[in-house]
Amino acid sequence: MYRARLSGMLSGASGPNFSMWEYIFMKKNITVFLFLLTLTMCFFALNARSESLDKSFEKAIEEGNKGRFVKARKILKPLAKQGHAKAQATLGSLYMNGDGVSVDYHKAYKWFKLAADQNVALAQYNLGLMYNMGHGVAENQKTAVSWFRLAANQGYAVAQFNIGTSYLKGRGVDQDYSVAYNWYTKSAAQGFSRAQFNLGWMHYKGLGIPLDVNRAYMWWDISAQQGDLKAKGNLTEITKDMTSDDLLIAKKLARECTEKKYISC
C-alpha cells in the first residue's frame, strides 16, 4: 500500500499540492497544536498532583483537629516544601503556637511569609500579629497594619477587627474613629462578636458617630447572644439607664439586625 501510493505520487498522480507559504502555515499549525497538546497534558498532570497534595493536606487537618499535632506536622512539612500555600500557613501556626513542636517564631515567620506571598489571608494576618506583638521580629505597628490590611481586604474578619482597633487607638496609623467604625462594621457583618462589641462601645461613647444608646444596646445584645461575657455585663448596666420604650426599640433593632445577618444595621 505504501509503495503503490508513493509510486503514484512519483508518476504524477494528483495529490496534495502546497505552495511554500501553505507548507509553512501547515507546519506552524502543527507546532501550535503540539504546543497546546503539551500544555494540556501538563495541566492535567499538575491538576492531578494538586489534588493529591490537597488530599494530604485535608488528612493533616483531620489529625490536627484530633489533637495529633505531631502527625499533622509530619504530613504538612513535605507539602509545605513543595509549595502548598495552605500547608505552609498551617505549619507556621504550629510553630507559632507550639502545637506538636517547640515554639519557634523564626520558623513560624518563614512559613507564614512563604504562604503570605501566595496571598493566603491567614498567613498575612499572622505576620501582622507577629509584628504587632514583637514575636520573632522587632515590634512594628505600621508593618503589622500593612499585613492586617492585606488579609482584611480578602474579607478575613479577625484582620478587619484588628485594623479597626489600630485606627481606634491610633496604633501604626493616625487615629480615625470613622475608619475604625467602617472596619468594625465589615467584621461584625461576618458575625465576629468582638467587632460587634466594639461597635456597641463606639455608639455608647459617641466615638466618631452620634451617641446612640439604643444602637449600643443592639450591638451588645447581638454580641452577647454569641457568648461575649463583657457584652452581657454591659447590657445589665445600660438597661438600668434606659426607659421601657427605649428598651423595646433597642430589642427590635437587635432582632432586625440579626435577621439581616448583621448587614446594614
Side-chain angles (χ1 to χ4, degrees):
M1 178 66 70
Y2 174 75
R3 289 182 177 179
R5 184 164 61 85
L6 181 59
S7 174
M9 290 176 65
L10 290 172
S11 63
S14 61
N17 183 25
F18 302 109
S19 65
M20 182 58 68
W21 71 267
E22 288 173 324
Y23 176 70
I24 293 173
F25 179 74
M26 185 177 74
K27 286 187 68 179
K28 286 183 176 179
N29 279 345
I30 292 173
T31 301
V32 170
F33 170 75
L34 290 174
F35 175 71
L36 291 175
L37 179 62
T38 302
L39 280 181
T40 302
M41 292 174 67
C42 288
F43 170 78
F44 283 115
L46 289 172
N47 191 50
R49 177 176 175 273
S50 177
E51 288 181 358
S52 176
L53 294 179
D54 287 341
K55 287 182 179 179
S56 295
F57 175 72
E58 290 172 5
K59 176 63 176 176
I61 295 301
E62 288 179 10
E63 294 292 347
N65 288 337
K66 295 175 181 177
R68 297 198 283 256
F69 298 115
V70 173
K71 286 187 176 181
R73 182 173 60 86
K74 288 181 179 179
I75 299 172
L76 288 169
K77 197 165 186 177
L79 296 178
K81 287 182 176 180
Q82 293 180 71
H84 193 285
K86 291 182 180 179
Q88 291 170 340
T90 308
L91 186 60
S93 295
L94 294 183
Y95 280 111
M96 185 168 74
N97 298 323
D99 292 327
V101 66
S102 299
V103 171
D104 191 325
Y105 291 129
H106 295 292
K107 287 183 179 180
Y109 183 93
K110 167 192 170 182
W111 290 115
F112 285 147
K113 184 63 168 61
L114 288 170
D117 288 342
Q118 297 193 65
N119 215 31
V120 177
L122 171 65
Q124 293 166 341
Y125 167 75
N126 280 331
L127 284 175
L129 274 186
M130 295 185 78
Y131 278 104
N132 176 264
M133 304 176 74
H135 286 168
V137 293
E139 181 184 330
N140 189 318
Q141 296 302 325
K142 288 186 177 180
T143 303
V145 171
S146 296
W147 282 115
F148 286 147
R149 194 182 304 278
L150 288 173
N153 286 336
Q154 295 194 67
Y156 201 66
V158 187
Q160 293 171 338
F161 169 81
N162 279 17
I163 289 188
T165 301
S166 295
Y167 277 103
L168 182 70
K169 297 183 177 181
R171 264 191 336 218
V173 290
D174 293 333
Q175 189 176 53
D176 191 321
Y177 292 138
S178 295
V179 177
Y181 187 87
N182 288 337
W183 280 112
Y184 282 147
T185 299
K186 291 179 180 181
S187 182
Q190 298 192 67
F192 193 62
S193 65
R194 292 173 66 189
Q196 294 165 346
F197 176 90
N198 281 12
L199 285 175
W201 181 256
M202 294 186 78
H203 278 290
Y204 184 69
K205 290 292 185 178
L207 301 178
I209 49 175
L211 190 152
D212 190 332
V213 175
N214 290 340
R215 290 196 176 275
Y217 182 99
M218 176 193 79
W219 281 118
W220 285 339
D221 185 37
I222 290 170
S223 181
Q225 288 176 26
Q226 300 193 71
D228 192 297
L229 297 179
K230 289 177 67 178
K232 291 179 180 179
N234 283 7
L235 282 176
T236 301
E237 292 302 316
I238 197 175
T239 302
K240 297 176 182 177
D241 300 322
M242 295 176 69
T243 67
S244 57
D245 287 341
D246 283 339
L247 196 55
L248 286 174
I249 293 171
K251 289 183 176 181
K252 183 173 183 279
L253 287 172
R255 184 171 61 254
E256 290 174 346
C257 184
T258 302
E259 290 172 353
K260 292 190 294 183
K261 306 295 184 184
Y262 321 123
I263 298 173
S264 300
C265 296

